Amino acid sequence: MALLLGAISIGIAFLYGCVGEIITEKSGHLNLGIPGIMSFGAAGGCMAVSIWMSWFPQPNGFTGALMIFFAIVIAMLFAATLGALYSFLTVSLRCNQNVTGLAITTFGVGFTMFLMEGVVDRTMFATASTFFTASLPFAGALGWFGEIFFSHGVMTYLAIAIAIISSWVLNKTRVGLNLRAVGENPATADAAGINVTAYKYVATCIGSGIAGLGGLYYIMDNLSGSWEYGIEAIGWLAIALVIFTMWRPNLSILGAFLFGGLYIAAEFITGVSFSDKALLKLLPYVVTIIVLIITSVIGKKETQPPAALGLPYFREER
Amino acid sequence: MSNAVKAVKEPLFHIEKRASLPAWKAWAIRGGALLVALVVSCILSGLFLGGNPFAFFSSVFSGAFGTSTRINTLLKELSLLLCVSLAVVPAFKMKFWNLGANGQILAGCIATTACMIYLNGVVPPAVLYILMFVSAILAGAIWAVIPAIFKAIWNTNESLFTLMMNYIAEGLVAFFLTLWATDGSGTLNPIKDAMLPKIGGEDFILPLIVAIVLTAAMYIYMRFTKHGYEISVVGESENTAKYVGINVKKVVIRTLIVSGALCGLVGCLLSGAINGNISTSMHDGMGFTAIMVAWLAKFNPAIMAVMAFVVIFVERGAAFASRQMGVTNSAFPSIVTGIIFFFVIACEFFIEYKLKFRSKKKGGNE
Amino acid sequence: MEKTVALEMRKVSKYFGEVIANKDVDLTVYQGEILAILGENGSGKTTLMNMIAGIYYPDEGQVFVRGEEVLIRSPHDAFAQGIGMIHQHFKLVDVFTAAQNIVLGVNDGKKYKLSDINARVQEIADKYGFHIDPKKKIYEMSVSEKQTVEIVKVLYRGADILILDEPTAVLTPQETQKLFAVLKKMKEDGKSIIIITHKLHEVLSVSDRVAVLRKGEYIGSVETKGATELSLTEMMVGRKVELNIERSEPKDVKDRLVVTGLHCKNRDGVEMLNDVSFVARSGEILGVAGIAGSGQRELLEAIAGLQHLESGEILYHDPVSEQEVNLRDKTPLQIRELGVRLSFVPEDRLGMGLVGNMDIVDNMMLRSYRKGKSFFVDRKKPQTLAETIIEELEVATPGVHTPVRRLSGGNVQKVLVGREIAASPKVLMAAYPVRGLDINSSYTIYNLLNKQKENGVAVIFVGEDLDVLIDLCDRILVIGGGRVTGVVDARTTTKEEIGLLMTKSDSIGEIKAEEQTEGAENE
């Protein structure tokens, strides 16, 4: 039970990053800057929280809710800014995506460190965090059922909602169809009158914004407001999760919980040695590699990465 | 309907691919970008940390070159980064996105440390040293060849695979630390008596020698050997390679063995010559930084040396400068490195393409 | 009848670096007509049309649609003007269904519901007489099905000016007939159709007017009614061209390559070669004719050791050792190591035959770099070879260290053919060696092939221009749908005979052909 709750709790952080990255990758951009972007989103969100707490040191239900909203908006804004920088470099200037992504991660993690240690006042985070983790009012009344489904903070439900909405948008709407076409074959999309550049920018920025929420969630909900440099690792795992779920946001909800379970399993299994626990922590990565191998061996078109992933697009290329 | 487009202004400029640009001009653009990046980061630093940018700049210099110890450290880190950058070159030239240098370095570290722990005193020091090297090289090569094999046979996405291999390597280091650090602290004390001898009493000399030798060797390997030629052909066009009878699978696997082996060698230097122990973050992200260094230098070993120098100079200098201003963490070096990378990455655009501002002649407008 | 101008271009120019693609082109298209744009390869037809379709942006000049000046900066703008282009290389997303591809990029305010879209697609198809399955995925489709999707895609957007870039290049004659019938229906519906082609008989059979481009410039336009193949050719090439390829009698003819019962499948499991057998003889040029994609590529690649064969044998008779070697399932390297002197000029020059970013010397090395036991490469001999080829074949290049991608098409081909011949082959295979080349370069290549033939080489020439095949080759192997449909003597055959053989593909093709004739009789 505790394992399940823990898995859900950490899994949500993966889920944000994963859905954000899926949206970005669907536009044909392998954004290795996600770890940096998640960190930066966390920094933005935390900054918003600390500012809010300085305005309302004792927030009530209403100002608390507003604080969450404010933090979410700012976190998304911060993350999307880095996403925009990434898009500018890779879309407009057609720089190499891998190299740019890694530079974004370096920069984002560094800047986050600077903000969190030099600028943001973290003293009130524990109080603020209680608003993030507050469970739905009727959770307690429903026993174990309530605990599993209703005991989580608001950002948990937001993540699941975003994943479901993303899945719906990608598969059931015009916008989603167009976006997938951009990632599969930008020349085709362009010839069909789709503004490829705009789609790539918007997808990357929205994806980054969503990923940034993962950072905020990790600090404020999963870690209950204590600061830690673990976001980068979460970001890389989120990228792994994208592969694991074969670019499907709805599947990534379950995938995130599974990864979450594997991530924390070591702490819950009693009677194993320290060293075995260290090995257990490897599981998500090993599982991802196995999925990667299996999908590439089967080679079914529908389970492959977007065909134009990682390639720049220049219309007048001859 | 027909007026919809007419109302829109014609584009201010549009982008064209350059036919070619003289090499000196290309490098001048890159140099210029670097300079702008440095100026921008100094101004930013001044703004963020308070104080004037010139003072910051001078403290960057003193942080990098101020004392002989600082110069030694600079040279040591420069050599290591350059070695890793050289290691990733063959794979990248082949368009194999090896993002797993970090893991390959750690694999080398694990092998070296294992030798130091289990064989110290068992075999004569000379044999131990050789075994440390050999096992590290083998470990790095194995770590790189696993994704290469899958790439060669099933075209498994190598950038994602190698990325995952980094974390498995880190996890394995954590695992071995639980075995080796018997006090349960998770950190290992340096095994001083098993370390490689310090040449000239300084720990930067061995890496420096390795880096110099590797630079020359890699230049020759890529430019003058049949292997290097095959790597270029495979990287440019896999179809051509098959057409002339190059066994692409073999070349991919062989090249990744070379790449991984060199990363393993760096691992040996890190564990065996510099630190005497092992930790999960011993690679210090060099695998990623090296990718950027190699890419931005267009895989030219001499330019890579310059790029590696710039990066290390900025990292060391900025770290010192921010310490001076009371910031103790490694935030600033990362930010400044990031900014430099952004500028140098972005300038490639102006080398590949040119902006053409419009001045359309109106024809038939009487 | 008063004709309404649908589209007009005035003084439109486009440059790619120093290359002039189009210069001061004027072009008028009327409503309800089929305009053929005629021009040799590289005359700037496609570039010109791409400017109307929004793929390229003109450097100079104006475009008018229905009398109003417009700026077409993107395909989106083109669609807004009711202009749609069907590209030669289909622009379709493989993992999408036909309907998803058709609706891609459309924003008509209607709700996005696939079942509605499928129905609307079917409706358009029925109106003009297409066969289409809206739910089929593109990667499961044949070329002609894909083309149908492209056309429906443009119609779905309500385009009334349709541009088709070489639409018949990939079709069988029957499919071409069907396409033309559809085009005529659309014309009657009031649509303007521009068709890019270099096949004269098609121009004459389908178009109302012909506009001719030569070397990027607009030469003029004529009514199809008064035109003949000869008059159009004159406009197209600017001077009378008699194909005057010298052809010597084959000497010392011996079987060099005996191919029996080849079967091979492509990556998607589609059968590309079906029981192909033939003999290539020394001192002879064997032509291979067929509609594009009938298995020519697979055939050559199979011989060169680049295709896995399901079954069949490729026997090489070594003229020196008088021994027989089976090349089946050997790698190119193994073939070379067996002493088989086989040269291959592939269709995709810069993607397969050469490395675009490498200089001429390094490209010379591709075939020979392995020589010797040394770990290092030798660049001296390749350099000499490069210099010789540049001189003898008159390759226009700044030097031996120029990357080949900077050379023009003809020079690239000279470098490639020169290298392949330098290996003094016993079998020389060339796939479309004059595609995209100007006339002079083409003749250089013909002469080179002839010289090889006189030297006793077995030459296999895969071509698309039937006139060239008939004038250059000794025998012509015709393939259709992966089968050998006939071998004819080039000296006595006619274009009609070859054309007939080309269309005689597999059983399915025959059924289609029957349907076609029945349909024609009913009309």
Side-chain angles (χ1 to χ4, degrees), chain B residues 197-262:
Chain B
K198 283 191 179 21
I199 300 171
E202 298 287 350
D203 62 1
F204 74 94
I205 296 188
L206 181 63
L208 186 63
I209 293 172
V210 173
I212 292 170
V213 171
L214 263 189
T215 308
M218 189 52 71
Y219 179 75
I220 293 168
Y221 183 73
M222 293 308 293
R223 184 80 187 96
F224 297 112
T225 68
K226 291 176 179 173
H227 284 189
Y229 182 73
E230 285 179 340
I231 289 171
S232 308
V233 175
V234 172
E236 290 287 344
S237 162
E238 214 169 288
N239 267 335
T240 309
K242 283 183 186 146
Y243 159 80
V244 295
I246 293 174
N247 186 338
V248 175
K249 292 180 175 137
K250 192 177 116 194
V251 173
V252 167
I253 290 170
R254 184 184 70 203
T255 307
L256 262 287
I257 288 177
V258 172
S259 229
L262 295 182

XYZ file of all heavy atoms in Angstrom, chain B residues 197-262:
507
model
N 51.822 5.859 -10.357
C 52.822 6.810 -9.863
C 52.601 8.191 -10.461
O 52.214 8.319 -11.617
C 54.145 6.214 -10.346
C 53.788 5.279 -11.445
C 52.421 4.790 -11.158
N 52.812 9.200 -9.626
C 52.650 10.567 -10.119
C 53.928 10.987 -10.826
O 54.990 11.055 -10.213
C 52.406 11.519 -8.933
C 51.000 11.462 -8.391
C 50.833 12.614 -7.427
C 49.486 12.770 -6.791
N 48.561 11.704 -6.702
N 53.806 11.294 -12.075
C 54.984 11.724 -12.813
C 55.330 13.138 -12.388
O 54.481 14.031 -12.397
C 54.715 11.677 -14.328
C 54.358 10.245 -14.722
C 55.932 12.159 -15.106
C 53.871 10.091 -16.122
N 56.567 13.331 -11.995
C 57.002 14.660 -11.574
C 56.281 15.118 -10.321
O 56.258 16.302 -10.027
N 55.671 14.197 -9.606
C 55.011 14.551 -8.362
C 53.708 15.308 -8.539
O 53.088 15.727 -7.579
N 53.273 15.504 -9.754
C 52.029 16.247 -9.987
C 51.024 15.322 -10.680
O 51.405 14.498 -11.509
C 52.295 17.450 -10.904
C 53.255 18.469 -10.338
C 52.641 19.296 -9.215
O 51.409 19.188 -9.015
O 53.379 20.026 -8.536
N 49.763 15.489 -10.353
C 48.813 14.562 -10.955
C 48.289 15.043 -12.306
O 47.460 14.403 -12.925
C 47.655 14.221 -10.013
C 46.845 15.437 -9.647
O 47.173 16.536 -10.141
O 45.886 15.292 -8.861
N 48.773 16.208 -12.785
C 48.258 16.641 -14.082
C 49.122 16.148 -15.237
O 48.712 16.197 -16.384
C 48.140 18.177 -14.140
C 49.453 18.896 -14.277
C 49.937 19.247 -15.538
C 50.214 19.212 -13.168
C 51.140 19.912 -15.666
C 51.417 19.874 -13.294
C 51.893 20.222 -14.543
N 50.331 15.663 -14.906
C 51.266 15.369 -16.002
C 50.838 14.140 -16.801
O 50.825 14.171 -18.029
C 52.693 15.239 -15.451
C 53.095 16.609 -14.890
C 53.666 14.802 -16.551
C 54.505 16.745 -14.475
N 50.453 13.082 -16.104
C 50.042 11.873 -16.830
C 48.840 12.140 -17.743
O 48.902 11.837 -18.945
C 49.741 10.737 -15.839
C 49.336 9.417 -16.485
C 50.464 8.858 -17.346
C 48.938 8.392 -15.423
N 47.767 12.757 -17.226
C 46.651 13.063 -18.141
C 47.086 13.953 -19.301
O 46.627 13.764 -20.430
C 45.659 13.817 -17.242
C 45.981 13.390 -15.870
C 47.447 13.096 -15.829
N 47.958 14.894 -19.016
C 48.398 15.801 -20.076
C 49.114 15.026 -21.179
O 48.856 15.227 -22.369
C 49.322 16.883 -19.490
C 49.731 17.982 -20.462
C 48.505 18.769 -20.920
C 50.743 18.925 -19.814
N 50.015 14.118 -20.744
C 50.738 13.322 -21.749
C 49.748 12.488 -22.558
O 49.797 12.450 -23.790
C 51.770 12.404 -21.059
C 52.867 13.260 -20.430
C 52.365 11.416 -22.064
C 53.827 12.484 -19.565
N 48.835 11.843 -21.835
C 47.839 11.018 -22.540
C 47.064 11.873 -23.535
O 46.843 11.475 -24.689
C 46.875 10.360 -21.526
C 45.737 9.645 -22.252
C 47.628 9.376 -20.652
N 46.672 13.080 -23.109
C 45.879 13.939 -23.986
C 46.661 14.317 -25.235
O 46.128 14.306 -26.348
C 45.436 15.193 -23.235
N 47.936 14.664 -25.060
C 48.748 15.080 -26.216
C 48.904 13.916 -27.185
O 48.686 14.048 -28.393
C 50.126 15.608 -25.752
C 49.929 16.920 -24.988
C 51.057 15.815 -26.936
C 51.163 17.413 -24.279
N 49.225 12.744 -26.627
C 49.399 11.572 -27.488
C 48.096 11.253 -28.217
O 48.071 11.009 -29.423
C 49.870 10.360 -26.650
C 49.851 9.087 -27.482
C 51.260 10.617 -26.095
N 46.993 11.312 -27.461
C 45.701 10.981 -28.059
C 45.320 11.955 -29.165
O 44.767 11.566 -30.186
C 44.601 11.012 -26.993
C 44.201 9.693 -26.356
C 42.960 9.896 -25.507
C 43.942 8.637 -27.415
N 45.610 13.233 -28.942
C 45.267 14.234 -29.956
C 45.946 13.888 -31.269
O 45.306 13.845 -32.329
C 45.693 15.634 -29.499
O 45.162 15.864 -28.205
C 45.188 16.699 -30.452
N 47.248 13.640 -31.184
C 47.991 13.304 -32.401
C 47.466 11.998 -32.992
O 47.208 11.901 -34.193
C 49.473 13.184 -32.072
N 47.271 11.020 -32.137
C 46.858 9.708 -32.625
C 45.489 9.791 -33.289
O 45.268 9.213 -34.355
C 46.821 8.716 -31.462
N 44.587 10.550 -32.674
C 43.241 10.625 -33.234
C 43.251 11.351 -34.568
O 42.537 10.973 -35.503
C 42.314 11.335 -32.233
C 40.851 11.298 -32.590
S 40.233 9.638 -32.946
C 40.246 8.901 -31.325
N 44.104 12.375 -34.653
C 44.201 13.100 -35.925
C 44.650 12.140 -37.027
O 44.062 12.084 -38.110
C 45.180 14.272 -35.780
C 45.337 15.053 -37.055
C 44.338 15.922 -37.479
C 46.478 14.918 -37.850
C 44.459 16.630 -38.653
C 46.615 15.624 -39.034
C 45.598 16.481 -39.430
O 45.713 17.175 -40.598
N 45.690 11.383 -36.708
C 46.208 10.446 -37.714
C 45.175 9.367 -38.021
O 44.929 9.027 -39.170
C 47.528 9.827 -37.210
C 48.592 10.911 -37.141
C 47.978 8.684 -38.114
C 49.845 10.501 -36.405
N 44.538 8.843 -36.970
C 43.569 7.762 -37.150
C 42.427 8.199 -38.071
O 42.040 7.486 -38.985
C 43.016 7.353 -35.783
C 42.040 6.184 -35.820
C 42.500 4.893 -36.054
C 40.688 6.382 -35.596
C 41.617 3.823 -36.078
C 39.803 5.325 -35.615
C 40.261 4.044 -35.860
O 39.391 3.001 -35.887
N 41.922 9.383 -37.830
C 40.772 9.820 -38.619
C 41.163 10.244 -40.027
O 40.390 10.104 -40.960
C 40.052 10.993 -37.923
C 39.374 10.641 -36.618
S 38.273 9.220 -36.729
C 36.994 9.875 -37.791
N 42.353 10.777 -40.169
C 42.711 11.382 -41.449
C 43.463 10.411 -42.363
O 43.285 10.444 -43.566
C 43.570 12.625 -41.169
C 43.974 13.442 -42.382
C 42.849 14.356 -42.849
N 43.201 15.004 -44.108
C 42.836 14.551 -45.304
N 42.113 13.473 -45.394
N 43.185 15.175 -46.409
N 44.286 9.556 -41.816
C 45.211 8.820 -42.681
C 45.045 7.307 -42.660
O 45.793 6.609 -43.319
C 46.669 9.174 -42.332
C 46.988 10.616 -42.566
C 47.255 11.466 -41.504
C 47.003 11.123 -43.858
C 47.541 12.801 -41.724
C 47.293 12.464 -44.085
C 47.561 13.305 -43.019
N 44.110 6.801 -41.882
C 44.034 5.337 -41.854
C 42.780 4.864 -42.586
O 41.840 5.629 -42.804
C 43.969 4.805 -40.406
O 42.715 5.190 -39.853
C 45.095 5.365 -39.565
N 42.820 3.592 -42.944
C 41.662 3.014 -43.621
C 40.442 3.011 -42.705
O 39.323 3.227 -43.152
C 42.004 1.586 -44.067
C 43.030 1.590 -45.183
C 43.459 0.202 -45.587
C 44.474 0.312 -46.719
N 45.072 -0.984 -47.055
N 40.692 2.765 -41.423
C 39.578 2.818 -40.462
C 38.908 4.179 -40.492
O 37.682 4.291 -40.566
C 40.085 2.551 -39.045
C 40.380 1.115 -38.786
N 40.664 0.630 -37.544
C 40.441 0.074 -39.614
C 40.887 -0.674 -37.613
N 40.758 -1.026 -38.870
N 39.743 5.215 -40.407
C 39.213 6.577 -40.387
C 38.421 6.865 -41.648
O 37.355 7.482 -41.605
N 38.938 6.408 -42.767
C 38.261 6.629 -44.041
C 36.911 5.924 -44.045
O 35.888 6.499 -44.439
C 39.151 6.118 -45.167
C 38.583 6.333 -46.541
C 38.544 7.600 -47.106
C 38.097 5.265 -47.283
C 38.024 7.802 -48.365
C 37.577 5.455 -48.545
C 37.537 6.723 -49.087
O 37.020 6.913 -50.334
N 36.910 4.693 -43.563
C 35.638 3.950 -43.515
C 34.621 4.648 -42.610
O 33.430 4.715 -42.927
C 35.886 2.516 -43.017
C 36.529 1.652 -44.075
C 36.805 0.230 -43.604
O 36.848 -0.008 -42.377
O 36.977 -0.636 -44.464
N 35.117 5.164 -41.491
C 34.210 5.868 -40.579
C 33.565 7.058 -41.289
O 32.359 7.268 -41.205
C 34.979 6.337 -39.324
C 35.350 5.136 -38.462
C 34.155 7.334 -38.523
C 36.297 5.460 -37.327
N 34.375 7.813 -42.036
C 33.819 8.969 -42.747
C 32.778 8.535 -43.766
O 31.726 9.162 -43.892
C 34.910 9.738 -43.486
O 35.953 10.037 -42.632
N 33.074 7.479 -44.499
C 32.128 7.037 -45.529
C 30.819 6.601 -44.879
O 29.734 7.001 -45.312
C 32.724 5.889 -46.375
C 31.680 5.366 -47.351
C 33.942 6.370 -47.140
N 30.910 5.807 -43.819
C 29.689 5.341 -43.155
C 28.903 6.532 -42.617
O 27.679 6.596 -42.737
C 30.027 4.353 -42.021
C 28.787 4.026 -41.207
C 30.628 3.091 -42.598
N 29.626 7.508 -42.052
C 28.959 8.673 -41.490
C 28.268 9.497 -42.559
O 27.197 10.041 -42.350
N 28.889 9.607 -43.717
C 28.312 10.432 -44.782
C 27.137 9.731 -45.443
O 26.133 10.355 -45.752
C 29.383 10.759 -45.834
C 30.453 11.729 -45.359
C 29.918 13.155 -45.255
O 28.848 13.426 -45.823
O 30.575 13.968 -44.597
N 27.292 8.461 -45.739
C 26.220 7.759 -46.433
C 26.371 6.258 -46.254
O 27.320 5.652 -46.744
C 26.247 8.113 -47.917
O 25.521 7.149 -48.638
N 25.415 5.708 -45.546
C 25.475 4.280 -45.287
C 25.309 3.482 -46.584
O 25.918 2.444 -46.769
C 24.383 3.908 -44.293
C 24.792 2.789 -43.382
C 23.804 2.621 -42.253
O 23.769 3.475 -41.354
O 23.070 1.634 -42.297
N 24.495 4.031 -47.497
C 24.284 3.354 -48.763
C 25.561 3.245 -49.567
O 25.855 2.208 -50.155
C 23.261 4.130 -49.601
C 21.864 3.601 -49.376
O 21.718 2.443 -49.003
N 20.877 4.426 -49.590
N 26.313 4.345 -49.604
C 27.583 4.322 -50.316
C 28.511 3.286 -49.690
O 29.184 2.535 -50.393
C 28.245 5.705 -50.263
O 27.299 6.671 -50.676
C 29.460 5.760 -51.150
N 28.525 3.260 -48.377
C 29.397 2.318 -47.692
C 29.066 0.886 -48.107
O 29.948 0.091 -48.420
C 29.258 2.487 -46.181
N 27.772 0.582 -48.148
C 27.387 -0.773 -48.530
C 27.771 -1.040 -49.975
O 28.225 -2.124 -50.331
C 25.875 -0.950 -48.355
C 25.482 -1.126 -46.910
C 23.987 -1.372 -46.790
C 23.578 -1.405 -45.332
N 22.240 -0.843 -45.138
N 27.569 -0.016 -50.803
C 27.831 -0.138 -52.229
C 29.287 -0.474 -52.507
O 29.590 -1.271 -53.382
C 27.415 1.173 -52.896
C 28.013 1.483 -54.224
C 27.522 0.903 -55.390
C 29.063 2.391 -54.331
C 28.069 1.208 -56.611
C 29.609 2.703 -55.554
C 29.115 2.117 -56.697
O 29.651 2.428 -57.906
N 30.204 0.136 -51.746
C 31.609 -0.177 -51.993
C 32.072 -1.362 -51.163
O 33.255 -1.690 -51.144
C 32.540 1.025 -51.729
C 32.240 2.119 -52.698
C 32.431 1.506 -50.303
N 31.147 -2.005 -50.475
C 31.499 -3.229 -49.790
C 32.048 -3.043 -48.390
O 32.686 -3.943 -47.855
N 31.797 -1.891 -47.793
C 32.192 -1.727 -46.392
C 31.165 -2.452 -45.533
O 29.955 -2.294 -45.732
C 32.245 -0.231 -46.011
C 33.375 0.461 -46.759
C 32.415 -0.066 -44.510
C 33.424 1.957 -46.558
N 31.642 -3.248 -44.615
C 30.745 -3.938 -43.698
C 30.336 -2.947 -42.609
O 31.052 -2.749 -41.631
C 31.461 -5.153 -43.110
C 30.539 -5.987 -42.256
O 29.518 -5.498 -41.759
N 30.888 -7.239 -42.075
N 29.186 -2.323 -42.811
C 28.792 -1.222 -41.930
C 28.687 -1.688 -40.486
O 29.137 -1.015 -39.557
C 27.463 -0.607 -42.406
C 26.984 0.455 -41.439
C 27.619 -0.017 -43.795
N 28.104 -2.860 -40.295
C 27.950 -3.371 -38.927
C 29.310 -3.475 -38.239
O 29.471 -3.090 -37.089
C 27.279 -4.742 -38.956
C 25.854 -4.634 -39.405
C 25.167 -5.977 -39.440
C 23.712 -5.721 -39.781
N 23.147 -6.599 -40.728
N 30.246 -4.013 -38.989
C 31.582 -4.197 -38.417
C 32.183 -2.843 -38.054
O 32.755 -2.680 -36.978
C 32.472 -4.930 -39.434
C 33.771 -5.435 -38.861
C 34.557 -6.216 -39.904
C 35.859 -5.511 -40.208
N 36.506 -6.020 -41.417
N 32.034 -1.885 -38.943
C 32.629 -0.572 -38.688
C 31.970 0.076 -37.472
O 32.660 0.636 -36.608
C 32.497 0.345 -39.933
C 32.968 1.752 -39.616
C 33.292 -0.224 -41.086
N 30.648 -0.028 -37.375
C 29.953 0.560 -36.223
C 30.478 -0.058 -34.937
O 30.849 0.641 -33.984
C 28.424 0.346 -36.340
C 27.731 0.669 -35.024
C 27.860 1.209 -37.456
N 30.556 -1.369 -34.926
C 30.982 -2.041 -33.702
C 32.434 -1.719 -33.384
O 32.782 -1.362 -32.256
C 30.729 -3.561 -33.832
C 29.220 -3.816 -33.815
C 31.417 -4.323 -32.705
C 28.815 -5.217 -34.172
N 33.273 -1.780 -34.404
C 34.695 -1.511 -34.183
C 34.917 -0.086 -33.673
O 35.668 0.148 -32.730
C 35.440 -1.705 -35.507
C 36.931 -1.546 -35.409
C 37.578 -1.659 -36.762
N 37.273 -0.514 -37.604
C 37.320 -0.531 -38.924
N 37.630 -1.634 -39.577
N 37.040 0.544 -39.612
N 34.201 0.864 -34.291
C 34.395 2.261 -33.914
C 33.952 2.512 -32.479
O 34.606 3.243 -31.738
C 33.615 3.170 -34.876
O 33.996 2.843 -36.200
C 33.913 4.619 -34.615
N 32.855 1.888 -32.104
C 32.384 2.090 -30.731
C 33.316 1.430 -29.720
O 33.443 1.899 -28.599
C 30.947 1.595 -30.590
C 29.899 2.686 -30.697
C 29.908 3.545 -29.445
C 30.154 3.613 -31.894
N 33.985 0.369 -30.151
C 34.983 -0.225 -29.258
C 36.099 0.790 -29.026
O 36.520 1.034 -27.889
C 35.532 -1.540 -29.853
C 34.445 -2.621 -29.772
C 36.784 -1.989 -29.099
C 34.839 -3.943 -30.390
N 36.535 1.437 -30.094
C 37.583 2.451 -29.954
C 37.104 3.580 -29.043
O 37.773 3.972 -28.085
C 37.977 3.017 -31.341
C 38.921 4.195 -31.205
C 38.585 1.931 -32.204
N 35.906 4.079 -29.348
C 35.354 5.186 -28.573
C 35.250 4.824 -27.092
O 35.693 5.568 -26.220
C 33.958 5.505 -29.115
O 33.818 6.866 -29.338
N 34.642 3.673 -26.845
C 34.452 3.246 -25.468
C 35.770 2.996 -24.760
O 35.938 3.329 -23.579
N 36.719 2.414 -25.487
C 38.013 2.109 -24.877
C 38.685 3.377 -24.396
O 39.242 3.429 -23.289
C 38.899 1.375 -25.880
N 38.606 4.429 -25.212
C 39.250 5.681 -24.808
C 38.545 6.292 -23.597
O 39.191 6.839 -22.706
C 39.266 6.667 -25.978
C 40.115 6.224 -27.176
C 40.119 7.284 -28.256
C 41.542 5.918 -26.741
